[in-house]
Amino acid sequence: MATLIQQIEAREILDSRGNPTLEVDVTLDDGSRGRASVPSGASTGKHEAVELRDCDPARYAGKGVLRAVHNVRSELAPLLRGHDAFDQTGVDLAMLQRDGTQSKSRLGSNAILGVSLAVARAAANASGKPLFRYLGGDDARRMPVPMFNVLNGGIHAHWQGTDFQEFMIVPSGAGSFREALRWGAEIYRQLRITLEAKGFSTAVGDEGGFAPPLNNNSEALDLLMKAIEAAGYRPGEDVQLAIDPAPSALYENGFYRLHSEGRLLDADEMIGMYGDWVQRYPLVVIEDGLAEDDWDGWKRLTHALGERIELVGDDLFVTSAERIRRGIQEHSANAVLIKPNQVGTLSETHTTVLLAHNNGWGAMVSHRSGETVDSFIADLTVAFGTGHLKAGAPCRGERVEKYNQLLRIEETLGGTAHYAGHQAFVH
């Protein structure tokens, strides 16, 4: 039986960086309600769907989202009133057709996504099912490996630390998500102790990671190895490592400039450095190893390391099925990062995950650096069975809420929950 959309409201709220973002409420004719808020990235790919900002310097330095709020109220709400909330594909398609642009630049991907996610949550509430079960069905029981971003550099650290943006610990050897979360929190605590002993500041960045002024990028990996061991775990068996260099920000005229090391590397030299690190450290994931349009370099990277580790395209693919199809055809990468706000609707996000999985690729769901306490992506990663989730360090409320929601989901699943563990990664 159809449950019809009765009302859609939107408002401007603040994200974790103190910048405006969009929140949407959807009410159905049976009284069910759904709320969703939209995150925002600091390091964004140039091919992402367009996030609509006001560009009014008199408000929030131009970052206001009142135009997007207006578009929800004046165009999307009337458009969708009376539409079946259980028809997610139809809801999303109607919004895409109304926008009429490939980049979602007229209405704004933030306006469209906020409505898309809020409709799904309202429909889940109307169905009487948890969100993960509503989206994924009865087979949704695969708990993800948490990817904890505990050391930051690059733009996330205002270029005060390493060149590379994220260094992550990956507790894939745990027996459950709950255990993996505990391991990550204990290692994170030990890393703080280690940094304090060296006289470094332990203030945290946007995603909860530390940003010490290290001498080079590999020193960050050495610190993580020491913290894992000091916390009582075995690197490579209990806990592995992952990195996101975010090299598009380092790319200059065909070369990658490593400011902290005073080096200028071409793609093959970057690949050689990664190959050396794979030999020296228990790396299981390199996300965005090369720049977003360095397709030839990505092919060589995949040829060199694709049989050994997961190579995840973020800025390369921006959760776009069209760009992923090119990557599959050209053998560029073997996995894709999933960020719903890069593509703009829940339906398109699902299509992207299915495309990756149907071609033997990995799919890793991710937060953004500007987050809210909305835990939608926690449910999404279980619903879509992606096996791994990147949501920041085990610190800061907007990060921890995703992990806490996964604890609740695992509790709901009980003995049927399956922790993805080492099998989460394509290699």
Side-chain angles (χ1 to χ4, degrees):
M1 184 176 69
T3 300
L4 306 182
I5 296 171
Q6 184 177 74
Q7 183 178 355
I8 300 177
E9 185 53 82
R11 65 188 61 85
E12 185 182 65
I13 64 170
L14 295 183
D15 70 14
S16 59
R17 291 200 300 257
N19 291 328
T21 191
L22 192 77
E23 182 177 78
V24 176
D25 289 345
V26 170
T27 304
L28 308 183
D29 62 357
D30 70 348
S32 300
R33 296 172 61 88
R35 172 176 289 169
S37 52
V38 181
S40 178
S43 175
T44 57
K46 66 182 180 182
H47 303 290
E48 293 189 22
V50 174
E51 177 186 69
L52 191 63
R53 297 281 178 176
D54 298 340
C55 300
D56 177 2
R59 296 187 71 253
Y60 291 116
K63 293 182 179 292
V65 294
L66 293 183
R67 292 167 62 198
V69 169
H70 173 76
N71 289 342
V72 172
R73 292 173 174 172
S74 66
E75 293 206 45
L76 297 181
L79 172 71
L80 296 176
R81 189 173 296 117
H83 200 107
D84 182 2
F86 292 143
D87 179 17
Q88 185 73 45
T89 301
V91 167
D92 292 344
L93 182 59
M95 291 192 289
L96 297 181
Q97 291 174 339
R98 176 58 63 92
D99 175 81
T101 69
Q102 185 175 2
S103 62
K104 302 174 179 66
S105 57
R106 192 179 76 80
L107 297 177
S109 65
N110 44 349
I112 294 170
L113 181 65
V115 173
S116 181
L117 300 186
V119 167
R121 188 168 267 140
N125 290 335
S127 74
K129 297 177 181 179
L131 181 59
F132 79 92
R133 182 69 74 211
Y134 171 74
L135 295 176
D138 293 338
D139 292 333
R141 58 187 182 89
R142 193 182 193 209
M143 298 300 301
V145 176
M147 314 282 286
F148 297 111
N149 174 20
V150 295
L151 281 176
N152 296 171
I155 194 170
H156 281 186
H158 306 289
W159 302 104
Q160 299 301 307
T162 61
D163 302 289
F164 291 172
Q165 188 166 281
E166 298 180 12
F167 296 85
M168 293 169 268
I169 52 174
V170 185
S172 54
S176 66
F177 177 81
R178 179 176 294 275
E179 187 175 47
L181 183 60
R182 176 174 63 83
W183 290 11
E186 290 173 355
I187 295 166
Y188 181 73
R189 178 180 179 276
Q190 184 59 53
L191 180 60
R192 179 189 294 274
I193 293 170
T194 300
L195 293 174
E196 287 174 343
K198 291 178 174 290
F200 291 136
S201 167
T202 53
V204 300
D206 286 344
E207 298 183 359
F210 306 116
L214 305 179
N215 295 317
N216 55 62
N217 294 288
S218 63
E219 189 178 354
L221 295 172
D222 292 329
L223 276 171
L224 295 187
M225 295 286 281
K226 292 176 181 177
I228 292 167
E229 292 175 338
Y233 298 104
R234 298 166 296 177
E237 295 183 50
D238 298 326
V239 183
Q240 297 166 305
L241 302 178
I243 59 173
D244 173 10
S248 293
L250 308 172
Y251 197 58
E252 300 176 5
N253 301 316
F255 291 91
Y256 298 87
R257 183 175 298 278
L258 304 187
H259 301 272
S260 69
E261 301 178 18
R263 293 200 291 165
L264 197 65
L265 279 62
D266 64 20
D268 290 322
E269 290 170 321
M270 290 283 282
I271 293 166
M273 180 181 65
Y274 295 145
D276 176 58
W277 284 4
V278 169
Q279 292 284 353
R280 293 166 52 196
Y281 305 103
L283 276 171
V284 289
V285 170
I286 297 177
E287 175 193 333
D288 272 0
L290 296 172
E292 58 196 333
D293 286 320
D294 190 0
W295 287 93
D296 288 338
W298 269 96
K299 283 188 281 188
R300 297 196 300 277
L301 173 63
T302 306
H303 178 75
L305 297 176
E307 295 297 321
R308 300 166 64 186
I309 65 171
E310 186 171 273
L311 300 169
V312 180
D314 176 15
D315 292 347
L316 180 69
F317 297 132
V318 293
T319 319
S320 162
E322 179 182 357
R323 291 181 69 85
I324 293 166
R325 290 189 185 98
R326 177 179 175 180
I328 291 168
Q329 182 178 8
E330 296 185 6
H331 302 287
S332 300
N334 58 18
V336 58
L337 202 67
I338 302 296
K339 294 175 176 175
N341 83 316
Q342 285 183 328
V343 65
T345 67
L346 179 58
S347 299
E348 290 169 291
T349 302
H350 192 202
T351 296
T352 300
V353 173
L354 290 176
L355 177 63
H357 285 172
N358 289 341
N359 285 276
W361 277 32
M364 180 167 70
V365 175
S366 173
H367 64 162
R368 301 307 298 256
S369 54
E371 265 294 341
T372 74
V373 293
D374 193 330
S375 60
F376 198 105
I377 61 170
D379 285 76
L380 186 148
T381 194
V382 178
F384 294 171
T386 64
H388 38 349
L389 171 76
K390 186 174 81 164
C395 173
R396 297 181 56 127
E398 75 281 357
R399 316 293 156 183
V400 171
E401 179 55 24
K402 278 70 167 172
Y403 299 129
N404 287 343
Q405 175 65 2
L406 286 165
L407 290 176
R408 301 178 194 114
I409 292 173
E410 189 173 59
E411 182 180 89
T412 298
L413 289 169
T416 67
H418 169 67
Y419 181 61
H422 294 309
Q423 301 303 314
F425 308 102
V426 173
H427 54 80

